Amino acid sequence: MKTLAYLSACGLATALAAAPALGADKIRWKMQAAYGSNLPALGDTIPGVLEDLSEATDNRVIIKHFEPNKLVPTLNITDAVRTGKLEAGYTWIGYDQGKIPSSVLFSAVPFGMEPWEYMAWWYDGEGQELAEEIYHKNNVHPVLCGLTGPETGGWFNKEIKTLDDIDGLKIRYAGIGGRILQELGASVTVLPGGEIFQALEKGAIDASEFSLPTVDKQLGFYEVAKYNYFPGWHQPFAAFHLIINKEKWDAISDADKKLIDLTCQAGVTRNLARSEAFQGEAIEFLEDQGAQTRKLPEPILRELEEVTNQVLQNEADKDEDFARVLKSQKAFEEQYERWQDLGYLPRDF
């Protein structure tokens, strides 16, 4: 069976072979990323994708990369793309939850799919079709362009022994995970990654989730929080998208659209590999620096899952698109579960 990476490479090779025949039309877009290119697996994927596009087209397609906040605030990237202030952005579209409630389901779902399952749903289920339909209504075209495994469960300045320990905490948590902790009495805020360290250091927040251990290491969270909790129940996968102003997307050739799609597919494969490769080393480093690694007890996880189901249903009751996407994911998970149960070794084997 051919792998996704193989198929992407073959498709990309075919597209590249035809590149000289694509015509003289040049693409010159500005793109701002939500994450710094210094952050491993989180921010260093998209520069490689854009470099591949440039080289593949002999500099005919150039999407200029801008670091976070250089052109617009990080949390406003989708609005900037929608209005044409930016031609493109690279972001975790779950930040759009306030205006596009279903966006979080394309980004991370608590107790949801693992990354390869999400990839299957996106490419061979209804994921891509639904995302395009919903985002096209907002004048934005989404392309899956990055994917990582689970994040840490969060950095805390106190031990979490029961869910009562969440009540009253000031926490930085994004997406549905944040809504769940609000239900448990936490005061939840969403901060860009570059503001988290200072907020923890000054006591403006008591805890925060953000990303993979390699990223948390880079940002120095171990210096300002003592307990590093696992697993990443709120984000068993993290999907990132290259979002493009739909008018700009519609104006380019089908061949250039295919090039962008294929280059992003290759980026997804590389990103997932990189996100898995170095986390063990990072956790060891964090522990050497004094971080105390903790696993949330199973009873807490079971309770969190129960609250998650309630919150997801409440959100589905309020928004038709959210309900459709959630229904699609649940149906895919149900049919996939049989294969997962039979095909893979148990985790404790």
Side-chain angles (χ1 to χ4, degrees):
M1 182 177 179
K2 294 179 176 65
T3 64
L4 175 62
Y6 176 89
L7 293 171
S8 297
C10 289
L12 187 55
T14 301
L16 294 183
L22 295 180
D25 291 343
K26 294 182 178 180
I27 293 176
R28 298 290 185 268
W29 292 345
K30 298 189 298 292
M31 186 223 74
Q32 183 177 301
Y35 309 104
S37 58
N38 63 314
L39 299 178
L42 191 61
D44 64 359
T45 296
I46 192 62
V49 169
L50 301 186
E51 184 177 348
D52 286 349
L53 267 174
S54 177
E55 292 181 2
T57 59
D58 196 23
N59 294 322
R60 190 179 55 77
V61 177
I62 296 179
I63 303 178
K64 188 174 181 181
H65 174 273
F66 288 87
E67 298 286 344
N69 298 308
K70 289 297 183 182
L71 301 177
V72 300
T74 293
L75 301 184
N76 293 351
I77 287 176
T78 298
D79 273 346
V81 172
R82 177 181 59 80
T83 60
K85 186 173 183 178
L86 291 174
E87 289 87 359
Y90 180 76
T91 187
W92 187 77
I93 58 176
Y95 294 141
D96 301 333
Q97 182 179 8
K99 295 182 178 179
I100 307 174
S102 61
S103 65
V104 291
L105 298 176
F106 298 112
S107 306
V109 182
F111 298 96
M113 300 177 181
E114 293 184 335
W116 42 88
E117 185 180 0
Y118 174 87
M119 188 189 302
W121 173 72
W122 178 270
Y123 291 122
D124 293 304
E126 298 178 312
Q128 182 176 349
E129 177 185 346
L130 286 166
E132 289 179 358
E133 178 190 336
I134 290 166
Y135 267 80
H136 284 179
K137 292 187 293 187
N138 292 275
N139 199 36
V140 172
H141 179 76
V143 182
L144 180 63
C145 209
L147 184 66
T148 72
E151 300 185 341
T152 68
W155 290 83
F156 290 77
N157 278 319
K158 61 177 284 188
E159 288 191 86
I160 305 300
K161 297 180 180 179
T162 72
L163 287 185
D164 290 339
D165 294 325
I166 299 293
D167 190 17
L169 288 185
K170 296 172 291 184
I171 300 179
R172 185 273 183 200
Y173 245 71
I176 294 294
R179 287 281 293 106
I180 291 162
L181 295 186
Q182 280 182 320
E183 291 291 321
L184 297 172
S187 174
V188 177
T189 186
V190 178
L191 297 172
E195 298 178 18
I196 296 173
F197 181 96
Q198 188 176 36
L200 282 168
E201 184 179 39
K202 292 186 173 181
I205 55 176
D206 304 306
S208 177
E209 60 81 39
F210 186 57
S211 188
L212 303 160
T214 48
V215 177
D216 294 351
K217 168 188 170 183
Q218 185 88 2
L219 293 175
F221 293 157
Y222 58 90
E223 297 178 9
V224 288
K226 184 175 182 180
Y227 300 101
N228 190 15
Y229 273 94
F230 294 84
W233 59 272
H234 65 297
Q235 204 152 318
F237 72 88
F240 305 95
H241 293 79
L242 176 66
I243 54 172
I244 301 164
N245 177 275
K246 188 173 182 298
E247 294 170 15
K248 294 293 183 181
W249 177 258
D250 290 343
I252 65 176
S253 69
D254 288 343
D256 283 339
K257 291 174 183 174
K258 178 61 70 174
L259 273 172
I260 292 171
D261 283 342
L262 290 170
T263 310
C264 274
Q265 284 182 27
V268 167
T269 304
R270 292 198 305 269
N271 192 194
L272 183 54
R274 186 166 177 79
S275 77
E276 291 291 297
F278 307 112
Q279 303 315 318
E281 293 177 5
I283 292 169
E284 184 177 349
F285 172 87
L286 294 169
E287 290 175 335
D288 288 344
Q289 303 305 308
Q292 295 194 27
T293 302
R294 293 282 190 273
K295 290 190 73 172
L296 290 169
E298 183 172 337
I300 287 183
L301 292 173
R302 294 295 180 190
E303 291 180 77
L304 284 168
E305 184 179 28
E306 185 176 336
V307 178
T308 294
N309 292 333
Q310 295 170 359
V311 169
L312 289 173
Q313 187 57 54
N314 290 341
E315 294 298 311
D317 291 342
K318 292 187 293 186
D319 185 82
E320 181 180 348
D321 285 339
F322 192 103
R324 287 195 301 136
V325 177
L326 183 63
K327 181 180 179 181
S328 174
Q329 289 185 341
K330 292 297 185 184
F332 192 89
E333 287 179 82
E334 184 176 345
Q335 65 84 28
Y336 179 82
E337 185 178 10
R338 181 71 170 158
W339 160 244
Q340 187 179 45
D341 179 58
L342 292 172
Y344 288 90
L345 288 169
R347 285 285 166 88
D348 58 354
F349 190 80

